[in-house]
């Protein structure tokens, strides 16, 4: 029996915008968020198209793979095999300039928010408004709440050239933001500008400054004039002639930051630096929103188990914020997503918690430790054959440590 040849239901072409590789299908619909960055980069480098093929073993039900020339020829020879992948070269969304049009764009933008991003309509519109108006935006909130995801979602919604810089991982701020002096036997000593210099000269670019609160103070000092609306320039001190680079029109800077005493590797943010940003604070998800997100991301996992994960996360967050807290922090959404990934791969709730939750809590103190307390909460929701009465108010209160 001959093997059935699979054909893609969607074909995309990859275009480079800034340092991002965007995917566009034959109808001009952007598919960037559906395809991994490595897959997109390889397709662009190799000059080939990508197709969305059915894949029963994949969580999403499909996978993106290279479309071979043979398959392209076979599809083109069929009656409905139209594979015209011509896409309008203008890949930027035209942001309106008239006030009435801007208002309409901002207040109808909630439909652009990806489903996996749990963010209130008001804050999403505020985020989009800041981007449209060219404001510097700082996303704040606890670890694992979706700050970077929200920033990237804004980039996709405005569909502009974008550049990503993780300042928390930068060992040499001057090299990252300005450039480096090199020596070559043929050219002698010369100055090479950084990618950041290219980024700020790109009109209407969106520049993501991730982990700004972990950056070296030298990075903050360099950014002061760049972020100031009254200055907007970068001085290349190490270049011949000390060139001054003006920030191009429409450039938006989006930063993410963890602010709080529990983030011991962060630095206290300079007030002058923070004043150069519009602050958008990400909320910790409610139990309902957490449950909705997990069910959306993991439709193949038992919804009751996903509901229990959301309950566990909510209980730890509530406990960590109480006046008599027995744990210092709640379980983040990033952790619940990782845990549900383990559930999807066949691990039990107890096993998944053993590797994704418990290591985050200190075991010092034995039965009175944070880890023991969290284990007690998790074990209340493990399948032990008991009835639904397990989740009554009295036992919930006991689970979060109400000492009477």
């Amino acid at each position: 029996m001959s093997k059935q040849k699979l054909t893609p239901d969607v074909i995309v072409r990859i275009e480079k915008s800034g340092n991002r590789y965007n995917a566009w299908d034959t109808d001009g619909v952007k598919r960037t968020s559906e395809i991994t960055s490595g897959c997109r980069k390889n397709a662009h480098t190799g000059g080939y198209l990508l197709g969305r093929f059915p894949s029963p073993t994949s969580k999403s039900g499909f996978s993106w793979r290279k479309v071979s020339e043979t398959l392209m020829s076979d599809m083109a020879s069929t009656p409905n095999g139209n594979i015209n992948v011509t896409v309008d070269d203008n890949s930027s969304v035209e942001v309106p300039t008239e006030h009435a049009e801007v208002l309409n764009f901002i207040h109808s933008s909630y439909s652009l928010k990806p489903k996996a991003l749990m963010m209130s309509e008001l804050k999403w519109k505020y985020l989009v408004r800041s981007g449209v108006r060219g404001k510097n935006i700082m996303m704040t909130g606890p670890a694992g709440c979706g700050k970077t995801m929200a920033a990237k979602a804004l980039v996709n919604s405005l569909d502009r050239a974008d550049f990503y810089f993780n300042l928390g991982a930068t060992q040499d701020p001057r090299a990252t933001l300005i450039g480096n002096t090199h020596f070559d036997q043929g050219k002698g000593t010369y100055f090479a500008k950084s990618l950041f210099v290219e980024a700020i000269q790109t009109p209407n670019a969106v520049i993501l400054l991730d982990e700004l609160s972990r950056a070296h103070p030298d990075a903050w000092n360099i950014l002061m004039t760049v972020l100031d609306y009254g200055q907007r320039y970068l001085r290349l001190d190490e270049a011949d002639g000390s060139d001054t680079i003006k920030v191009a029109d429409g450039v938006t800077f989006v930063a993410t930051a963890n602010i709080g005493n529990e983030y011991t590797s962060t630095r206290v943010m300079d007030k002058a630096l923070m004043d150069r940003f519009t602050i958008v604070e990400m909320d910790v998800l409610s139990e309902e929103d957490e449950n909705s997100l997990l069910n959306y991301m993991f439709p193949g996992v038992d919804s009751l188990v996903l509901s229990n994960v959301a309950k566990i996360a909510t209980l730890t967050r509530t406990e960590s914020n109480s006046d008599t807290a027995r744990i210092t922090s709640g379980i983040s959404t990033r952790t619940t997503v990782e845990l549900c990934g383990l559930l999807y791969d066949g691990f039990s709730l107890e096993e998944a918690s053993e590797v994704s939750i418990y290591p985050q809590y200190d075991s010092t103190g034995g039965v009175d430790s944070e880890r023991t307390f969290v284990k007690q909460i998790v074990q209340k929701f493990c399948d032990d054959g008991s009835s639904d009465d397990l989740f009554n108010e009295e036992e919930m209160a006991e689970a979060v440590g109400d000492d009477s």
Side-chain angles (χ1 to χ4, degrees), residues 10-248:
V10 177
I11 294 178
V12 298
R13 183 179 71 181
I14 308 300
E15 296 179 344
K16 189 174 183 181
S17 177
N19 62 353
R20 185 179 179 84
Y21 296 89
N22 289 320
W24 299 91
D25 69 15
T26 55
D27 296 320
V29 177
K30 190 175 184 181
R31 304 276 184 173
T32 304
S33 60
E34 300 178 23
I35 312 171
T36 63
S37 58
C39 184
R40 286 183 274 116
K41 182 177 181 180
N42 290 339
H44 181 271
T45 304
Y48 56 81
L49 303 177
L50 292 174
R52 188 173 71 177
F53 293 82
S55 176
T57 59
S58 173
K59 181 172 64 177
S60 60
F62 60 82
S63 62
W64 291 92
R65 303 200 301 270
K66 177 181 178 181
V67 179
S68 66
E69 294 182 5
T70 302
L71 180 58
M72 293 280 287
S73 300
D74 291 344
M75 292 178 65
S77 64
T78 61
N80 297 320
N82 181 10
I83 53 172
N84 179 13
V85 292
T86 300
V87 179
D88 187 354
D89 287 337
N90 181 15
S91 60
S92 297
V93 170
E94 183 178 352
V95 177
T97 56
E98 295 295 329
H99 186 237
E101 294 178 342
V102 170
L103 287 180
N104 181 63
F105 180 82
I106 293 171
H107 293 283
S108 62
S109 65
Y110 195 57
S111 61
L112 300 175
K113 182 187 74 66
K115 291 183 179 180
L117 175 62
M118 307 303 290
M119 192 176 191
S120 71
E121 183 173 359
L122 173 61
K123 291 194 174 182
W124 173 259
K125 289 179 178 178
Y126 183 46
L127 180 61
V128 171
R129 181 263 175 188
S130 299
V132 169
R133 294 297 189 186
K135 302 291 185 181
N136 302 329
I137 308 161
M138 180 180 291
M139 310 292 301
T140 66
C145 68
K147 296 184 294 296
T148 303
M149 182 181 185
K152 291 182 176 180
L154 173 66
V155 168
N156 284 333
S157 298
L158 297 182
D159 201 16
R160 296 172 170 177
D162 65 289
F163 298 84
Y164 176 84
F165 300 91
N166 189 322
L167 298 182
T170 300
Q171 302 299 317
D172 187 348
R174 297 190 67 82
T176 300
L177 299 176
I178 296 177
N180 253 331
T181 301
H182 302 276
F183 176 77
D184 182 86
Q185 288 186 342
K187 296 186 293 184
T189 301
Y190 67 97
F191 175 75
K193 296 178 182 178
S194 68
L195 178 61
F196 184 75
V197 174
E198 175 190 336
I200 66 174
Q201 295 181 91
T202 304
N204 297 316
V206 179
I207 301 175
L208 178 56
L209 306 174
D210 209 6
E211 302 287 1
L212 185 61
S213 53
R214 296 179 183 273
H216 192 280
D218 284 352
W220 297 349
N221 292 332
I222 293 170
L223 290 170
M224 284 291 189
T225 57
V226 175
L227 298 170
D228 192 306
Y229 294 119
Q231 301 181 67
R232 302 287 275 186
Y233 72 84
L234 175 66
R235 190 169 182 82
L236 305 183
D237 296 332
E238 298 183 17
D240 291 339
S242 298
D243 297 341
T244 298
I245 306 297
K246 296 293 291 183
V247 178

Side-chain angles (χ1 to χ4, degrees), residues 349-368:
L349 176 57
E350 190 167 9
E351 290 170 336
S353 300
E354 189 74 36
V355 295
S356 62
I357 295 179
Y358 301 156
Q360 299 183 29
Y361 293 93
D362 190 3
S363 60
T364 303
V367 294
D368 295 324

Side-chain angles (χ1 to χ4, degrees), residues 116-120 123 139-151 256-259 263 280-286 290 293 317 330-337:
L117 175 62
M118 307 303 290
M119 192 176 191
S120 71
K123 291 194 174 182
M139 310 292 301
T140 66
C145 68
K147 296 184 294 296
T148 303
M149 182 181 185
T256 67
N258 294 119
I259 300 175
Y263 304 110
V280 178
E281 186 176 19
M282 295 292 292
D283 296 320
V284 175
L285 297 188
S286 65
E290 190 91 18
L293 173 64
R317 294 166 191 170
I331 298 171
S332 71
T333 298
R334 180 184 292 132
T335 297
T336 63
V337 170

